[in-house]
Amino acid sequence: MKKILLALVALVATTASLNAQKKVITETAVSSADASVVITHRFYNEQGNVIYKLIEGVSESTYSYNDLNQLATEEYNVFNNYNAGRTYVYNYTEGQLVSREEKAGERVLSTVKYDEYGNPSGTLSANGLEIPQQNTYDDDHNLLKSEIKHPIAGIVMSTTAYTYSDGVLVKKETSNSAGVVTETVTYTYENGQLAKTTASAGDDGTVETVFNYGDIDAYYAPQNVQAVANQGNTVTLSWSGSADAVVFNGQYIEVKGTSYTTDVLQDGTYTFYVSNQGNAVVVPEVTVFDNSKVGVYDVALNGDITAKTVVTVDEQEQEKRTTTYYIPVKWSIDEDAKPIGYRIYYNDNYYVDVEDGTITEYTIPATNVTIWNGAVVTLPFKVTVQAVYATGVADPDNVLELDTDAILAIEPEVVNGISSVSASQFKASGVYNLNGVRVANSVNGLTRGLYIVRQGNMSTKVIVR
């Protein structure tokens, strides 16, 4: 008897086994549309539970388990979008999975409910709206069809149908409310294991995912793993036995031998995974801190503050004024200090990065954007110069407090960054719309609107009235 456990396949662990288990340790997905490759790694503890998943360059997930060896939480982190991070909490009743909460911080965003076979049966949104999901099974409890319905109208929004061969899933097909197939996934097996899936979604091409398996058992894991934080913000990991990878900070690093030393790290606390074919040992909370970093001092103004306002027009022909305040500052730093650059804040939130550690003065371009009939909205001007090192940043000895009202009272030089012309005034070598599509050779005869006019190497936005 077989059943499909959506969302939890390979994650909800069974009781620990003394014998090695064949489990997926890497997935390689290749898109036919752009030939892009996405590699996913999975790492397991001695009980055979997946404890960490890394999608190279995309995201990472860390898993924890309850006393019954059931998945309890997943901490999901997106590398290029901190706000997309989520915590998933799994809830059980008498050992049966009943729900999964999706949380951002302490706020519950949604709750997925599960049926007696471990498949989603509906989703409860944060505002209390429930999106039902109706599942249909055969006599062997294989999932045949799953329908997601509109929470108010009750109509079917999407349907997923499952096809089996001798009780083994071979195809999954999803269609929309109009019955149009939006995605098809086929499953290929070798020696009784899933070897490949092929997903197609209309004109978007196909994504072929190949699965690689490893023998998961504590016997194969690296032994006597140790970590030492070195001066200079590096960490040396050592072990006995075999290891083929060290994973930390979203990086997958192939290793040989019985030790590995990191490159210079930023100040912070790191968790390391030392793995041999997916059998991983966790080294948590290794802290590095470079106390040799020195900050700047004597931060002061280095001349008069000036201002410039550039007038532009947006796509709705609304005039917009961008005012930049040029704040010259200087500072001192010890001669033997070797920063690689500076991060210069001009208020509590906004800063500029300067990739030159040799300078001791800089003119900050502090910009504020306002609509022509609107008001300037800005935080109080306050200059904080942080020295940037390979290991982190060092705060300054002093912060330069500025008179915000006096700065905003400066009369700026006004520069027109856009031309407003009549159609008969302007001859151009090429006229384009705001999407970059060439629409004419000149502005003559064009309807009213905003265009980009190109003359040689010059481009100008113009309004045709």
Side-chain angles (χ1 to χ4, degrees):
M1 179 176 71
K2 297 184 180 295
K3 54 185 178 181
I4 306 302
L5 299 182
L6 302 179
L8 290 183
V9 61
L11 292 183
V12 178
T14 58
T15 57
S17 171
L18 296 178
N19 299 315
Q21 307 169 66
K22 288 286 187 182
K23 295 196 173 185
V24 174
I25 58 174
T26 60
E27 302 173 22
T28 305
V30 180
S31 170
S32 66
D34 56 9
S36 61
V37 179
V38 177
I39 300 176
T40 301
H41 303 275
R42 285 189 169 90
F43 303 91
Y44 300 82
N45 63 11
E46 58 185 5
Q47 285 81 32
N49 298 324
V50 61
I51 53 174
Y52 182 75
K53 181 176 75 173
L54 173 66
I55 303 178
E56 288 190 20
V58 179
S59 66
E60 63 181 354
S61 294
T62 305
Y63 304 94
S64 68
Y65 296 81
N66 61 24
D67 293 339
L68 297 178
N69 227 19
Q70 296 169 313
L71 181 62
T73 64
E74 174 189 353
E75 297 289 343
Y76 172 72
N77 174 47
V78 179
F79 296 135
N80 63 356
N81 186 356
Y82 174 81
N83 293 325
R86 296 289 184 266
T87 297
Y88 297 96
V89 179
Y90 296 83
N91 303 301
Y92 301 82
T93 297
E94 297 181 354
Q96 176 72 38
L97 177 67
V98 293
S99 67
R100 186 199 72 180
E101 296 174 309
E102 177 188 5
K103 304 176 73 174
E106 294 301 316
R107 180 189 175 199
V108 177
L109 302 180
S110 66
T111 301
V112 177
K113 298 180 179 180
Y114 292 85
D115 63 19
E116 60 183 310
Y117 301 113
N119 291 313
S121 60
T123 301
L124 186 66
S125 65
N127 60 8
L129 196 64
E130 184 167 1
I131 303 173
Q133 180 171 326
Q134 182 176 331
N135 299 323
T136 304
Y137 297 87
D138 63 16
D139 293 338
D140 291 328
H141 307 302
N142 292 310
L143 181 61
L144 297 178
K145 184 172 66 173
S146 178
E147 295 178 328
I148 298 177
K149 298 185 177 181
H150 191 279
I152 298 176
I155 61 174
V156 175
M157 296 189 296
S158 70
T159 301
T160 302
Y162 301 86
T163 304
Y164 300 84
S165 176
D166 296 327
V168 177
L169 180 67
V170 294
K171 184 179 180 182
K172 181 179 74 172
E173 191 170 75
T174 301
S175 55
N176 60 22
S177 59
V180 177
V181 175
T182 56
E183 182 185 48
T184 300
V185 181
T186 58
Y187 301 80
T188 304
Y189 299 84
E190 293 180 4
N191 301 320
Q193 295 176 329
L194 179 63
K196 181 178 69 175
T197 62
T198 303
S200 59
D203 296 333
D204 294 333
T206 62
V207 176
E208 184 175 281
T209 303
V210 176
F211 300 87
N212 180 42
Y213 291 79
D215 292 319
I216 303 303
D217 188 272
Y219 173 80
Y220 299 107
Q223 305 296 314
N224 304 315
V225 178
Q226 296 183 356
V228 176
N230 309 309
Q231 287 189 345
N233 277 41
T234 65
V235 173
T236 296
L237 297 146
S238 61
W239 58 85
S240 60
S242 298
D244 59 10
V246 169
V247 182
F248 69 99
N249 204 33
Q251 302 178 67
Y252 180 91
I253 300 171
E254 296 181 355
V255 297
K256 295 180 180 180
T258 57
S259 68
Y260 168 77
T261 299
T262 68
D263 292 333
V264 174
L265 302 176
Q266 292 269 310
D267 292 343
T269 299
Y270 297 83
T271 294
F272 293 87
Y273 298 84
V274 182
S275 174
N276 179 38
Q277 289 293 302
N279 296 276
V281 175
V282 185
V283 185
E285 297 186 352
V286 180
T287 299
V288 293
F289 180 76
D290 176 14
N291 57 14
S292 68
K293 301 188 300 295
V294 295
V296 306
Y297 55 92
D298 292 343
V299 181
L301 278 176
N302 193 31
D304 294 333
I305 299 173
T306 59
K308 179 183 293 185
T309 295
V310 177
V311 183
T312 59
V313 176
D314 62 19
E315 289 81 355
Q316 286 75 42
E317 299 186 16
Q318 184 75 28
E319 187 178 277
K320 183 182 295 184
R321 291 173 175 257
T322 302
T323 300
T324 302
Y325 300 92
Y326 295 92
I327 306 172
V329 295
K330 61 181 178 179
W331 60 88
S332 299
I333 192 169
D334 292 349
E335 290 186 3
D336 57 352
K338 302 296 181 183
I340 60 175
Y342 294 94
R343 173 163 289 185
I344 306 174
Y345 285 84
Y346 55 87
N347 57 39
D348 285 336
N349 290 347
Y350 299 104
Y351 61 84
V352 291
D353 282 327
V354 182
E355 297 179 354
D356 184 352
T358 65
I359 65 172
T360 55
E361 59 182 41
Y362 185 75
T363 299
I364 307 168
T367 301
N368 294 286
V369 178
T370 64
I371 301 300
W372 68 274
N373 61 350
V376 174
V377 178
T378 183
L379 295 171
F381 286 101
K382 180 173 65 175
V383 177
T384 304
V385 181
Q386 292 180 330
V388 179
Y389 297 82
T391 56
V393 299
D395 289 326
D397 284 351
N398 72 299
V399 173
L400 179 60
E401 301 279 357
L402 298 174
D403 187 337
T404 300
D405 291 338
I407 293 176
L408 296 180
I410 295 174
E411 188 69 26
E413 175 191 358
V414 179
V415 177
N416 286 324
I418 187 165
S419 301
S420 178
V421 300
S422 67
S424 61
Q425 284 181 289
F426 207 100
K427 295 183 179 180
S429 60
V431 182
Y432 299 77
N433 64 20
L434 295 180
N435 293 321
V437 178
R438 186 185 180 103
V439 294
N441 292 324
S442 74
V443 296
N444 293 322
L446 290 178
T447 58
R448 293 177 67 250
L450 184 63
Y451 297 90
I452 299 173
V453 176
R454 294 180 180 171
Q455 293 179 298
N457 294 326
M458 301 294 293
S459 295
T460 307
K461 284 185 178 179
V462 301
I463 299 174
V464 176
R465 302 187 185 280

